[in-house]
Amino acid sequence: MFKRNTFAAIFLFLAFITVPRAQTASNWIDAHRPAAQRLIAESQRTDFAWQRLAEVTDTFGPRLSGSEALERAIDWAVAEMKKDGLDNVHKEPVMVPKWVRGRESLELITPIRQPLPLLGLGNSVGTPAAGLESDVIVVSSMDELKARAADVKGRIVLFNVLFTNYGATVVYRATGPSEAAKLGAIAVLVRSVGPTGLRTPHTGSLTYADGVPKIPGAAISAEDADRFARLQTRGVKIRVKLSMEAHFDADSQSYNVVGDLTGRELPKEIVVLGGHFDSWDPGAGASDDAGGCVVTWEALRLMKVLNLRPKRTVRVVLFTNEENGGRGGAGYRDAHTAELPNHVAMLESDGGVFDPSGFGFTGSDAARATVTTIAGLLTSLGANRIGPTGGGADISPSATAAKIPMLSHEVAGDYFLIHHTAADTIARITPKQMSDNAAAIAVMAYVIAEVGIAK
């Protein structure tokens, strides 16, 4: 009995010292803590990221696809990346749609004459030159629209649908015009997709169904949508005049902007970061998405400043035409098809730059475990949560094609209050928020580029 126990103890001891143990946070992540701390400290040391965002939005303003402002901003970004010392900085051509808003107005005729704020929906057709004047029917769902089909023909339909979340509510903006047109409506108004604000309409794209008449679509404020609903409930006739010059010109030449920090050992393996550089035209596109572009770009600049060159290449991409076409994301996929299998991960920042909260992640369980461990380095920033799914409109085409793990930069803030509105300016973003978000992205990207993650 004594000998059996002794031999067993010796065997266990030898096994303990000779068999590799599974990696844990304590035996691999600690090697990256000094670099993480340096990146965070350097980012928080100055307001460089906020000042760069201010320069973008102050100098170029809104950057709608096909506009001169977007192309000037793209050329500026190329020059600035070169000043930062990034590698392989260049533009990659993408043809984009050129939708022109033109002049637009909405006037309440009955029960009282009054101009109302509105924003035409992106990709909408315009009205006749004389405008459209008609009675308004208010519905709160697609089911109610169908139930009142007999009342729709020749009228303007208002979808007054309360905002719950973006995914559930945006369908009315995207498909509402075609659904109403099937029943004979001549135009559609939608309650803005976002929380009730300060009577601010929200724009955004609509999508016309094939084989259905294209009718104008526009957004009004939540306050005015509720007013119309109350008038209808009281049996009061609502009549408006809608005028929109919206139209498409021929497709226009645009570009994705690409800059690299070349990896020191595995330069052909790539971690991509980025956001979309185009924006809607009412505001300055600060949160959506110049801020996302700047904080991902800043991650590379921080590594460069600190001479922290990871094993793998870290790439920033400023995508064009996310808002009303998605051609920048598709263009990157098509231009880099041969090297997509060497992409280790792709991270998109397109949810605002408020207080950082972490990252969403889509990938293998093993990769999730690695990313979760890395996120532990971000506890001081409040950015250590890893959510159930990650992705983004610009990285999804490439990631889907090559099964690349995806991360989405996540924040805590009332993003949809200002989303696609005139209120999307840098006034809603603090220097600390820019610095903290850039730091979180820099740490996550640096460590992924150092250790890699399983697909």
Side-chain angles (χ1 to χ4, degrees):
M1 180 72 176
F2 172 78
K3 288 183 178 180
R4 286 201 303 270
N5 288 342
T6 301
F7 289 144
I10 292 172
F11 175 81
L12 289 172
F13 173 76
L14 290 173
F16 179 79
I17 63 173
T18 59
V19 177
R21 287 169 288 166
Q23 286 191 332
T24 66
S26 63
N27 69 8
W28 71 267
I29 197 63
D30 286 346
H32 304 288
R33 291 187 190 280
Q37 291 166 357
R38 290 179 66 198
L39 288 164
I40 293 169
E42 178 62 22
S43 190
Q44 294 180 330
R45 186 179 65 82
T46 73
D47 63 351
F48 186 94
W50 190 90
Q51 292 293 348
R52 176 160 274 175
L53 176 60
E55 186 172 358
V56 176
T57 56
D58 292 346
T59 305
F60 306 106
R63 303 165 305 284
L64 188 62
S65 288
S67 69
E68 179 186 356
L70 175 60
E71 298 314 307
R72 287 179 57 207
I74 286 170
D75 288 340
W76 168 87
V78 169
E80 290 295 303
M81 285 186 188
K82 290 179 179 178
K83 288 180 185 177
D84 290 344
L86 300 188
D87 309 319
N88 190 33
V89 176
H90 63 281
K91 300 192 299 185
E92 297 181 348
V94 180
M95 293 301 293
V96 300
K98 186 176 182 179
W99 178 77
V100 179
R101 179 178 299 280
R103 292 175 296 182
E104 56 189 15
S105 64
L106 179 66
E107 183 181 13
L108 181 61
I109 304 298
T110 302
I112 189 173
R113 296 190 79 96
Q114 181 186 8
L116 301 175
L118 96 157
L119 283 172
L121 297 179
N123 300 344
S124 177
V125 298
T127 64
L132 290 171
E133 183 176 324
S134 182
D135 294 347
V136 175
I137 173 175
V138 184
V139 298
S140 60
S141 67
M142 293 294 185
D143 287 342
E144 185 177 358
L145 174 72
K146 294 172 183 176
R148 299 186 63 187
D151 301 327
V152 171
K153 188 173 182 179
R155 294 188 176 182
I156 295 174
V157 171
L158 166 61
F159 286 100
N160 182 34
V161 182
L162 295 177
F163 180 77
T164 51
N165 61 67
Y166 192 68
T169 316
V170 74
V171 63
Y172 291 92
R173 186 194 77 203
T175 66
S178 287
E179 292 302 313
K182 292 175 183 177
L183 301 177
I186 62 170
V188 159
L189 302 174
V190 296
R191 179 193 181 106
S192 287
V193 181
T196 300
L198 297 176
R199 210 178 176 207
T200 47
H202 300 229
T203 191
S205 289
L206 58 75
T207 303
Y208 289 119
D210 293 338
V212 178
K214 295 180 179 180
I215 62 174
I220 64 174
S221 70
E223 294 91 333
D224 288 323
D226 284 339
R227 176 189 181 187
F228 279 22
R230 292 192 299 271
L231 288 169
Q232 179 174 269
T233 298
R234 297 189 197 110
V236 176
K237 178 181 177 180
I238 309 163
R239 191 170 183 84
V240 300
K241 181 179 180 181
L242 175 66
S243 298
M244 296 171 58
E245 292 181 341
H247 65 278
F248 275 101
D249 287 342
D251 282 3
S252 178
Q253 183 69 67
S254 189
Y255 302 87
N256 291 331
V257 180
V258 178
D260 291 345
L261 186 66
T262 306
R264 69 179 191 274
E265 293 182 14
L266 300 168
K268 292 185 178 180
E269 295 188 15
I270 302 167
V271 176
V272 170
L273 317 176
H276 66 86
F277 214 31
D278 67 307
S279 75
W280 285 113
D281 50 330
S287 289
D288 188 19
D289 184 32
C293 288
V294 170
V295 292
T296 49
W297 173 2
E298 179 70 356
L300 275 72
R301 194 192 72 86
L302 291 168
M303 295 180 211
K304 179 72 175 179
V305 166
L306 295 173
N307 198 27
L308 289 170
R309 190 175 290 272
K311 290 181 181 179
R312 295 164 181 82
T313 294
V314 181
R315 171 174 295 167
V316 62
V317 183
L318 311 185
F319 295 93
T320 192
N321 187 231
E322 185 271 350
E323 291 293 6
N324 69 326
R327 296 191 190 175
Y332 181 86
R333 175 200 61 202
D334 296 344
H336 296 270
T337 299
E339 67 177 4
L340 287 182
N342 294 328
H343 281 47
V344 175
M346 301 185 79
L347 182 154
E348 184 163 341
S349 177
D350 186 19
V353 279
F354 302 106
D355 295 334
S357 62
F359 300 88
F361 180 76
T362 295
S364 67
D365 289 343
R368 175 175 289 277
T370 300
V371 168
T372 300
T373 300
I374 297 169
L377 299 173
L378 304 174
T379 302
S380 66
L381 298 172
N384 55 319
R385 177 184 179 272
I386 299 299
T389 58
D394 292 307
I395 64 174
S396 288
S398 297
T400 301
K403 296 182 172 57
I404 304 164
M406 293 187 292
L407 294 94
S408 53
H409 168 222
E410 297 187 348
V411 298
D414 212 346
Y415 176 60
F416 289 107
L417 184 64
I418 61 171
H419 182 245
H420 295 180
T421 75
D424 183 3
T425 70
I426 196 170
R428 273 75 190 175
I429 303 167
T430 68
K432 184 178 187 302
Q433 288 170 331
M434 288 296 292
S435 295
D436 287 354
N437 282 293
I441 293 169
V443 171
M444 180 60 70
Y446 175 81
V447 181
I448 288 176
E450 273 288 285
V451 303
I453 56 175
K455 288 191 176 181

